[in-house]
Amino acid sequence: MTEKDIHIEDEETLNENPSEDTANEAAEETGNSENSENTENSGDSEEKDPLQTAQDEIADLKNQLLYKVAEFENYRKRTLKERAELILNGGEKFITAILPVLDDMERAIENGAKTDDPAVLREGMELIHQKFLKILESQGVSKIETENADFDTDVHEAVAMVPGMGDDKKGKVIDCLQQGYKLNDKVIRHAKVAVGQ
């Protein structure tokens, strides 16, 4: 191979490389232009009208508000109905609990006509009384203690002042004239008492 041949081969190699570079550049330009077009097109498809978006949000909020209003209205009606039923039939549990005492009293009256012994009648009344107290206790009713208790305006009502009882009886409950009761720690009737002065 002569020097001339080598020079020609070098020129051919040089000529081939620029054509490849040119092809690569053309391909890159084509790809870039396609990418830019795709980006523009995708941007157009992703962008929505702000007015339409706001209207859609308003419609959703209106639907949510309507559901909440309807739900609250149903809740209000249900609670009003339950309250009315509670007022009307609130004592049903208590009445059901004391009906056996009524039955016992009726039986005592029937049996009282068959006997003249006052001890038997008294014993029957005491049994009924004890049963009635147990039922009251099961319903949360309890007696207010008055025996040797300090006078307390929260649970006692003084109806008489007894003078001359001594210093140890001053401010103490001397006698209970009417028993007081609590219902679940709430005073439903104050005990009427005589207090030492």
Side-chain angles (χ1 to χ4, degrees):
M1 212 189 272
T2 62
E3 187 177 325
K4 186 176 179 183
D5 292 335
I6 293 170
H7 183 67
I8 291 171
E9 283 180 4
D10 288 339
E11 282 181 0
E12 286 175 3
T13 306
L14 288 174
N15 287 339
E16 286 174 5
N17 288 341
S19 65
E20 286 177 6
D21 290 340
T22 307
N24 287 340
E25 287 174 4
E28 285 177 5
E29 285 177 6
T30 307
N32 288 342
S33 65
E34 286 176 0
N35 287 341
S36 63
E37 286 176 6
N38 287 342
T39 305
E40 288 174 7
N41 290 341
S42 65
D44 290 341
S45 64
E46 288 178 5
E47 286 181 20
K48 283 187 176 180
D49 184 15
L51 180 61
Q52 183 62 39
T53 304
Q55 287 175 344
D56 291 344
E57 289 179 7
I58 290 170
D60 289 342
L61 291 172
K62 279 184 179 178
N63 286 338
Q64 290 178 16
L65 180 62
L66 288 173
Y67 286 133
K68 294 294 180 186
V69 167
E71 190 176 322
F72 177 74
E73 187 64 23
N74 290 338
Y75 168 77
R76 189 181 67 82
K77 287 179 181 177
R78 186 171 62 251
T79 52
L80 285 174
K81 182 180 178 184
E82 288 173 358
R83 185 182 298 169
E85 287 178 359
L86 184 62
I87 291 169
L88 187 62
N89 301 319
E92 180 181 352
K93 181 181 176 185
F94 180 73
I95 298 298
T96 305
I98 63 170
L99 284 177
V101 175
L102 181 61
D103 296 337
D104 289 346
M105 292 178 79
E106 288 173 351
R107 280 193 290 271
I109 291 169
E110 288 175 11
N111 292 330
K114 297 175 184 175
T115 182
D116 293 331
D117 187 358
V120 173
L121 294 175
R122 181 179 177 84
E123 185 182 351
M125 290 300 293
E126 286 175 355
L127 290 172
I128 293 170
H129 181 255
Q130 288 172 4
K131 184 174 186 177
F132 188 58
L133 286 178
K134 284 181 183 178
I135 289 171
L136 289 177
E137 286 173 7
S138 71
Q139 298 297 315
V141 178
S142 59
K143 280 186 178 183
I144 294 172
E145 291 298 324
T146 57
E147 189 174 349
N148 295 324
D150 292 329
F151 178 71
D152 184 359
T153 55
D154 290 337
V155 294
H156 301 133
E157 179 185 343
V159 293
M161 300 298 287
V162 182
M165 296 300 294
D167 289 340
D168 60 331
K169 295 289 186 180
K170 189 174 183 180
K172 295 268 190 184
V173 173
I174 305 300
D175 189 20
C176 179
L177 305 173
Q178 186 180 65
Q179 187 64 53
Y181 293 94
K182 291 181 180 180
L183 177 61
N184 300 323
D185 294 329
K186 178 186 176 185
V187 176
I188 56 175
R189 188 172 83 180
H190 289 76
K192 294 184 179 180
V193 297
V195 183
Q197 195 172 21

